Amino acid sequence: MTIKQSWLTLLLLASSGSHAADFLVTDAAGEPVSPAMVTASPLAAPEVTLGDMGYPPHGVTNRAAVTLTRFTDAAGRASFAAPLDAHSIRVRARGFIDATLSAPAGEGPTEVVLQPMSREQYIASFPSNVWLSQLRFGGDAGLKKTFQLNCAFCHQQASPFMRNERTVEQWLGVFERMNSYGARLPAEDHQRIAELLQRELRELRENPQQVPEPRPWDPYLADYEITEWPIGDGFSQMHDFLLHPNGFVYVGDNLFDRIYEVNPDTGDYTVYKVPHRDGDTTGGILGNRFTVFPKMDNTMGVHSFAYSKRDGNIFITPSMQQALLEFNPETKAFTIHEMDAGYYPHTIRTDDQDRVWFTLALSSQVARFDRDSGEFTLYDLPARSIREWLVLKVLPFIFWMDPERRPQPAPDREGTGLPMPYGIDVAPDGRVWVARLYANDLAVIDPATDEVTMIDFPFEGPRRLRADADGKLWIVAFQDSLLVQYDPASDTFTDYPLPVRNEIPYALNVDRERGTVWVNGNQSDTIMSFDIASERWRVYPMPRQRFFTRDIEVADDSGAIYTSNSHFPTWQTEGGVPTLLRITPLAE
């Protein structure tokens, strides 16, 4: 998407008029407030055609209620290039109460005076990460890392929803339910963590002055525009997505097996429902882990996306089946490629030979799909112990059993039996790199020889990774709040602390053309960028609080980046619905 197209979008969505929308934001003393976040949302959302469990039926096109955000400059001014007469305006700045108005008034800048928050309001507005930073877990750093590894990959920790007073017994009930959803918090730690959360969260509520201030917003924000497309509802989970060369963005609703095809130029989106086969049940072969969740419609579990450079077809991992999905964006047809082995298809990439590579998280394997032959090749990653080897070998027998009667191995801090190959990427030289989350190691596969080499990762929680233009690997260390570079040529690791406190980075992507690494800030309501050459960080605040992101895509032409709000449950996020989001630079 080009800058010109960005302004065209705004022109299409704004109501008629001749003047641009200009704002001057000051405090009560008349001093400019900068940066302040000015967000424009349509007063009336476009009419939406629903009818399939409250979602648009297959193939039906609707238009999203697109919102736009700009930041004030040093003079306290922000300007939109088109009129916003039919929009609601919200102005937000650190330390001030939000101001709202229905639309800009008349010619010239609309003046907005912000009132200061009370000290209590100010501290309560802090993002989750700074509250989480003050949870000490009794001084047991290892226990805190265990908690973060198992309890921070779906929603924010220490958010207002988490800070509520709970008894130890209520916390234990939460842990039991979260483990049934897929967390692996060790049973031996439940009692201790429940007691610590009750005590330490109460101490922070009663002594909020202990919570440090979040990172301030920066002046460079005035050079960027943020666009959001709300899609789905409070029960959806917009997991991963894909920016396709055809200009559309394809977003997967993991809980409802739907693909949202979003046109960023117009705000139109069309929903395509993944086919459910006869005999498939909710939760697929994993069983329905969300029995208490009010609404769900997933037998496949739409997860990660990649596209073929040959014909543009999209490949999707269905985490709840032994299969690979293929979607033709021209004909809108789905193809299911059945597999006879491997469990939990996860992150996916394609290579220059049009082969599809993806991790199999539960069976500790990597799969390769050869499109010409239609055959799968599985690469076994080595077990860390005899016990783990045995667990992996008996998986077919376990999955043959009724999901309600399957044995559930007790999780431990080492993740025994679950090394969990997670992120994957194809380097410029064609080698395939994989990160194993619980094993703290990397695997590299040479497709020419099928040789698998393992490399110890000296940090904790390698979740997702990407290769840059020089073939160096960039990896997020989930529990250690680090961005890590691995240079295969020298076999060396370099770590870079994140620019915000106690962030737990889920994923990243590399803009190979511009030499920039983009990192998800899921606990701090931010996205972060790291310039490889200068080693300088930039931090971009999200327009909504409790904005949990787990994927990033880069637009090659403009350098804009896309992400999605994947907080689960979605209703906890500000506004209560998921959004696809784009950050666009306004000047090169």
Side-chain angles (χ1 to χ4, degrees), residues 403-553:
E404 300 297 326
R405 299 185 179 182
R406 287 177 189 158
Q408 297 290 330
D412 55 35
R413 289 199 190 183
E414 288 71 41
T416 302
L418 192 72
M420 205 169 200
Y422 207 95
I424 188 170
D425 202 19
V426 180
D429 64 4
R431 290 190 295 174
V432 178
W433 291 86
V434 175
R436 289 204 302 183
L437 177 64
Y438 284 91
N440 294 323
D441 59 18
L442 308 178
V444 56
I445 301 172
D446 185 345
T449 64
D450 286 342
E451 181 182 4
V452 179
T453 304
M454 303 303 299
I455 301 165
D456 287 333
F457 185 69
F459 307 98
E460 294 194 64
R463 202 166 201 111
R464 283 184 165 172
L465 53 75
R466 293 278 191 163
D468 66 19
D470 297 324
K472 295 177 181 177
L473 274 294
W474 294 89
I475 311 139
V476 286
F478 191 63
Q479 300 104 288
D480 285 338
S481 298
L482 294 173
L483 171 66
V484 179
Q485 181 205 75
Y486 175 65
D487 185 349
S490 61
D491 190 28
T492 56
F493 289 90
T494 306
D495 62 284
Y496 302 92
L498 299 184
V500 296
R501 293 176 182 266
N502 207 156
E503 184 51 87
I504 312 175
Y506 191 96
L508 52 73
N509 204 345
V510 177
D511 183 343
R512 292 182 180 179
E513 180 178 341
R514 296 167 184 80
T516 304
V517 184
W518 290 88
V519 182
N520 295 95
N522 52 57
Q523 303 294 313
S524 57
D525 299 330
T526 66
I527 292 289
M528 296 163 278
S529 69
F530 178 78
D531 183 81
I532 297 173
S534 66
E535 298 186 357
R536 292 179 180 174
W537 287 98
R538 285 192 168 190
V539 179
Y540 305 84
M542 299 289 95
R544 300 169 191 257
Q545 295 175 327
R546 297 172 298 284
F547 204 106
F548 191 106
T549 63
R550 65 181 81 231
D551 199 12
I552 292 176
E553 288 277 87

Side-chain angles (χ1 to χ4, degrees), residues 352-386:
D352 289 339
Q353 297 183 45
D354 207 35
R355 296 174 297 194
V356 184
W357 298 83
F358 54 97
T359 49
L360 291 162
L362 286 184
S363 52
S364 195
Q365 297 170 304
V366 175
R368 185 187 75 198
F369 178 64
D370 189 310
R371 295 190 69 195
D372 292 330
S373 67
E375 295 180 352
F376 289 93
T377 301
L378 298 189
Y379 298 82
D380 293 327
L381 303 185
R384 294 170 290 168
S385 65
I386 293 296

Side-chain angles (χ1 to χ4, degrees), residues 40-342:
S41 305
L43 284 171
E47 185 176 349
V48 178
T49 300
L50 304 175
D52 183 8
M53 295 188 66
Y55 296 101
H58 179 88
V60 172
T61 299
N62 289 289
R63 176 162 291 185
V66 183
T67 71
L68 293 151
T69 296
R70 294 289 306 273
F71 293 86
T72 57
D73 60 17
R77 293 179 178 270
S79 179
F80 294 88
L84 299 171
D85 296 337
H87 284 68
S88 170
I89 309 300
R90 187 206 69 204
V91 182
R92 171 172 290 174
R94 285 276 173 81
F96 293 92
I97 298 171
D98 287 358
T100 59
L101 54 152
S102 60
E107 298 294 334
T110 298
E111 296 186 14
V112 182
V113 179
L114 297 182
Q115 301 300 321
M117 289 178 171
S118 67
R119 181 63 182 169
E120 292 77 12
Q121 289 173 319
Y122 182 47
I123 295 173
S125 73
F126 290 175
S128 298
N129 67 299
V130 293
W131 287 84
L132 181 61
S133 72
Q134 299 309 297
L135 292 179
R136 307 297 185 184
F137 286 78
D140 188 338
L143 185 62
K144 182 173 183 177
K145 287 187 176 183
T146 297
F147 173 79
Q148 291 186 157
L149 172 63
N150 292 286
C151 300
F153 62 89
C154 277
H155 56 78
Q156 293 186 355
Q157 291 296 336
S159 74
F161 293 91
M162 300 297 104
R163 298 197 296 266
N164 292 336
E165 178 70 22
R166 289 180 173 86
T167 65
V168 170
E169 290 71 25
Q170 287 172 328
W171 277 118
L172 292 172
V174 169
F175 301 158
E176 183 178 353
R177 186 171 78 256
M178 293 300 103
N179 271 13
S180 74
Y181 285 1
R184 288 186 59 82
L185 190 67
E188 64 190 38
D189 292 326
H190 285 198
Q191 184 70 28
R192 177 69 173 148
I193 292 176
E195 294 170 353
L196 289 169
L197 286 178
Q198 184 198 45
R199 183 171 74 241
E200 294 186 5
L201 285 171
R202 178 184 292 167
E203 181 182 349
L204 289 179
R205 289 195 306 271
E206 294 174 352
N207 301 277
Q209 70 278 2
Q210 297 178 11
V211 181
E213 294 203 13
R215 189 183 191 277
W217 294 350
D218 294 284
Y220 53 72
L221 294 173
D223 297 329
Y224 293 85
E225 176 184 78
I226 297 178
T227 309
E228 284 186 278
W229 296 267
I231 49 179
D233 67 8
F235 300 107
S236 303
Q237 186 194 32
M238 300 303 173
H239 202 279
D240 286 11
F241 63 96
L242 174 71
L243 175 58
H244 197 278
N246 65 12
F248 293 148
V249 182
Y250 295 86
V251 188
D253 188 341
N254 179 263
L255 298 184
F256 289 90
D257 282 352
R258 284 159 173 80
I259 309 300
Y260 286 71
E261 182 185 67
V262 183
N263 184 339
D265 290 341
T266 64
D268 289 345
Y269 65 92
T270 307
V271 173
Y272 299 102
K273 188 172 181 179
V274 177
H276 290 181
R277 302 165 299 187
D278 291 342
D280 283 348
T281 57
T282 302
I285 65 172
L286 299 182
N288 187 4
R289 298 173 291 158
F290 300 88
T291 54
V292 300
F293 202 69
K295 187 171 72 167
M296 186 167 296
D297 183 31
N298 61 348
T299 70
M300 289 286 180
V302 172
H303 199 276
S304 186
F305 291 70
Y307 71 89
S308 164
K309 299 173 186 176
R310 183 175 71 188
D311 59 18
N313 280 11
I314 298 170
F315 290 87
I316 307 162
T317 46
S319 58
M320 298 170 179
Q321 298 291 347
Q322 289 179 293
L324 175 66
L325 292 172
E326 182 175 354
F327 176 70
N328 186 324
E330 294 293 329
T331 66
K332 316 304 181 184
F334 286 92
T335 303
I336 301 175
H337 302 282
E338 303 282 358
M339 298 172 58
D340 58 9

